[in-house]
Amino acid sequence: MVLVDTSAWIEWLIGSPTGESLSKRLPEQSDWLVPTMIQLELAKWLTREVGEDKADEVIAFTQVCQVVPLDTEIALAAADACRMHKLATADAIILATAQARGATLLTCDAHFEGLAGVDYMPKANG
């Protein structure tokens, strides 16, 4: 199982050089975990950057993946992650979701680098 972080989704969707490299690490759609927090972040970014039609298309794609809602167990684990790793709330929820499901977190965000269960791919320069 792989939880694709919003940063990696965006790189993949815009077809950046980093996104091209990430595409080799993406699992079959049935093995993607998608926290509802990532659906929120994607919908927000896509609507702003490329419009509602594209946002609807991507959210429809996520719904064929394994969607993981925020529950009490994940919320409490995210609170611990905020404290232990100095993460923002959304990032802590994403990390806690991956950990709760035994998934690898695929990300381009440097603040996850070095954390257990994280597959970090830095963004390509330029």
Side-chain angles (χ1 to χ4, degrees):
M1 293 302 225
V2 177
L3 193 160
V4 181
D5 184 36
T6 308
S7 62
W9 270 96
I10 291 170
E11 294 298 318
W12 179 61
L13 289 168
I14 66 173
S16 72
T18 302
E20 293 295 318
S21 296
L22 282 168
S23 67
K24 298 172 183 80
R25 297 183 188 187
L26 297 176
E28 294 296 317
Q29 195 173 5
S30 61
D31 289 332
W32 285 42
L33 288 183
V34 181
T36 50
M37 178 60 66
I38 286 182
Q39 288 179 315
L40 179 154
E41 290 182 331
L42 285 173
K44 182 178 160 185
W45 183 85
L46 287 161
T47 300
R48 182 183 68 237
E49 297 297 324
V50 294
E52 285 187 39
D53 289 343
K54 184 65 174 179
D56 290 344
E57 181 183 318
V58 172
I59 296 305
F61 177 93
T62 68
Q63 290 177 312
V64 180
C65 302
Q66 294 187 39
V67 176
V68 183
L70 177 60
D71 62 17
T72 302
E73 175 188 350
I74 293 169
L76 295 175
D80 288 341
C82 284
R83 188 183 71 255
M84 292 180 351
H85 305 299
K86 309 283 190 256
L87 295 173
T89 299
D91 291 328
I93 290 168
I94 291 165
L95 179 65
T97 302
Q99 291 173 339
R101 294 297 179 97
T104 298
L105 174 59
L106 178 60
T107 186
C108 299
D109 284 340
H111 50 262
F112 288 116
E113 184 177 13
L115 297 180
V118 171
D119 182 3
Y120 169 65
M121 175 177 280
K123 293 179 186 177
N125 292 332

